[in-house]
Amino acid sequence: MDKIDKYPLLQINTNKIYENARIIVEKCREKGVSISGVIKGFNGINCIVEEFVRAGCAQIASSRSEKLIELRKQGLETTSMLIRLPMEREIDELVRYIDISLNSEWKTIELIEEACRRHKTQHGVVLMFDVGDLREGFFNPKELMEQALYIENNCSHVKLTGIGTNLGCYGSVKPTSENLGRLSSLAGDINARIGRKLEIVSGGGTTSLPLLFQGKMPSGINNLRVGEAILLNRDLPDLWNTQVSGMYQDAFILKAQIIEIKDKPSYPIGELYVDAFGNKPTYQDRGVRRRALLAVGKQDFVEHDKLIPSEEGIEVIGSSSDHLIIDIENSKRKLKVGDVIEFYMSYSPMLYLCSSEWVKKKYQF
Ligand SMILES: *Cc1c(COP(=O)(O)O)cnc(C)c1O
């Protein structure tokens, strides 16, 4: 470990992530649901992936094929799942290094079949069905059925592993027993036609957990693809009124250093036009306040309003590419230049901070 920490720094506690993953995996297993651990939110950092595996995730899932390929080459044994529909150029490596992918296009599935034939291998496909969120997936249940039967009866290398849906992404649609019931009943229809049970019926991500915990998940759903709940555990308590005991919210902590402290007016002086990004923010006049400038910026976290100061009396008030401004008027600590301020975060800063080369990562085990 470094004697002197270099800031900005993202401190990641892998043990807390393991605990969170273990709790989610166990609570879901009790209800017959397996977990695909989604690693895209933390840029697939290896030592976190290891915790997902150790905690019993059935699959390791990412939207980035490169990451899954790299992990497999490094010896990942857990089943891998590509959760963005494959691009044509990805297919050759997809069938060689990745076990399962989400799909919704006939042409892509044909190309996967061909690539598998070339490489003498097999690949599992989870067909996506769109129940209303309007991102990926077949919209017409008949077409989904035709594609499923086509794979089952005509493809010798592509395996029909299951079906799935996605919710709460583009359309912000809530998972319910009705919309997931449609997926479950489609799975039932397919099972009846193919004479076996689909291995995976995947009913969404973190936002489907409340339904499961309330005992309202339609019985056919046997898999969820979860990232946020394991990593940050913010959405469930803050948005879905769902508390799970023993879960940590501080596995990721941003630490940034103070480079200026001044008393300044809270309302800008002069004719207001646009900020550094061409936006026209509004400012509240709260008089002269003590504020600090931190050496970290939008380039690192993008959205300052998703950062959560860990100590009382500190408020995030704004940011530009390389600076974060905080109000410290009510800070309990007597802050000075060089002091370090800590932040918890929700999903988007984690996503950006993990993949920023400017932010040092420090792991706690
Ligand atoms: C990102 C993603 C997930 C995981 O979402 P969380 O909210 O992090 O649980 C699941 N499925 C798909 C298709 C995704 O892209």
Side-chain angles (χ1 to χ4, degrees), residues 38 40 83 102 135-136 166 204-206 225-229 347:
V38 177
K40 67 178 192 235
I83 55 173
L102 307 186
R135 200 176 71 184
E136 74 274 57
N166 198 57
T206 292
R225 311 171 303 269
V226 178
E228 198 280 339
Y347 199 84

Side-chain angles (χ1 to χ4, degrees), residues 237-291:
D238 296 353
L239 302 174
W240 300 88
N241 204 14
T242 300
Q243 311 284 340
V244 182
S245 64
M247 300 268 293
Y248 295 98
Q249 293 193 300
D250 59 351
F252 292 81
I253 296 178
L254 170 66
K255 297 186 175 192
Q257 197 160 32
I258 299 180
I259 52 174
E260 181 189 286
I261 296 183
K262 304 275 182 217
D263 292 326
K264 290 192 187 184
S266 39
Y267 197 84
I269 300 147
E271 192 185 336
L272 303 199
Y273 188 42
V274 292
D275 72 4
F277 285 82
N279 303 312
K280 296 190 172 183
T282 53
Y283 303 89
Q284 195 196 345
D285 190 353
R286 303 163 75 192
V288 171
R289 314 239 339 153
R290 175 146 290 225
R291 29 109 90 192

Side-chain angles (χ1 to χ4, degrees), residues 121-167:
T121 186
Q122 294 200 324
H123 185 76
V125 154
V126 172
L127 294 179
M128 293 303 274
F129 180 63
D130 188 346
V131 296
D133 200 62
L134 308 184
R135 200 176 71 184
E136 74 274 57
F138 289 96
F139 196 65
N140 182 340
K142 260 210 205 119
E143 200 190 340
L144 175 86
M145 176 61 88
E146 281 167 24
Q147 177 74 87
L149 294 178
Y150 179 84
I151 295 172
E152 185 71 6
N153 300 326
N154 301 290
C155 293
S156 44
H157 301 79
V158 172
K159 264 182 54 199
L160 179 65
T161 303
I163 64 172
T165 195
N166 198 57
L167 284 154

Side-chain angles (χ1 to χ4, degrees), residues 6-61:
K6 188 174 165 287
Y7 302 101
L9 182 146
L10 184 65
Q11 180 179 296
I12 303 171
N13 189 313
T14 57
N15 236 332
K16 290 183 176 174
I17 296 172
Y18 166 76
E19 269 306 308
N20 285 358
R22 189 185 60 78
I23 290 169
I24 293 291
V25 166
E26 273 179 18
K27 284 182 71 80
C28 292
R29 185 182 289 146
E30 284 167 15
K31 299 186 183 292
V33 169
S34 70
I35 293 299
S36 306
V38 177
I39 65 166
K40 67 178 192 235
F42 58 87
N43 199 24
I45 294 169
N46 288 40
C47 59
I48 309 180
V49 175
E50 280 167 29
E51 302 301 341
F52 275 38
V53 170
R54 205 157 67 86
C57 290
Q59 293 94 22
I60 292 299

Side-chain angles (χ1 to χ4, degrees), residues 269-365:
I269 300 147
E271 192 185 336
L272 303 199
Y273 188 42
V274 292
D275 72 4
F277 285 82
N279 303 312
K280 296 190 172 183
T282 53
Y283 303 89
Q284 195 196 345
D285 190 353
R286 303 163 75 192
V288 171
R289 314 239 339 153
R290 175 146 290 225
R291 29 109 90 192
L293 211 54
L294 303 176
V296 65
K298 283 199 204 299
Q299 176 166 5
D300 309 299
F301 53 71
V302 184
E303 295 185 275
H304 62 247
D305 50 356
K306 305 277 169 67
L307 293 173
I308 306 154
S310 73
E311 58 187 277
E312 251 180 85
I314 292 187
E315 283 173 57
V316 172
I317 57 180
S319 67
S320 58
S321 314
D322 302 295
H323 295 90
L324 176 61
I325 310 170
I326 56 174
D327 182 305
I328 57 170
E329 182 74 26
N330 301 324
S331 168
K332 304 269 180 299
R333 260 203 296 169
K334 176 108 189 60
L335 291 167
K336 54 184 190 312
V337 169
D339 282 349
V340 171
I341 306 290
E342 300 189 353
F343 301 88
Y344 308 132
M345 63 199 72
S346 54
Y347 199 84
S348 57
M350 171 185 67
L351 179 73
Y352 303 123
L353 289 164
C354 282
S355 50
S356 168
E357 60 173 305
W358 306 105
V359 177
K360 195 183 149 136
K361 316 296 184 292
K362 182 172 169 180
Y363 301 98
Q364 292 186 314
F365 302 98

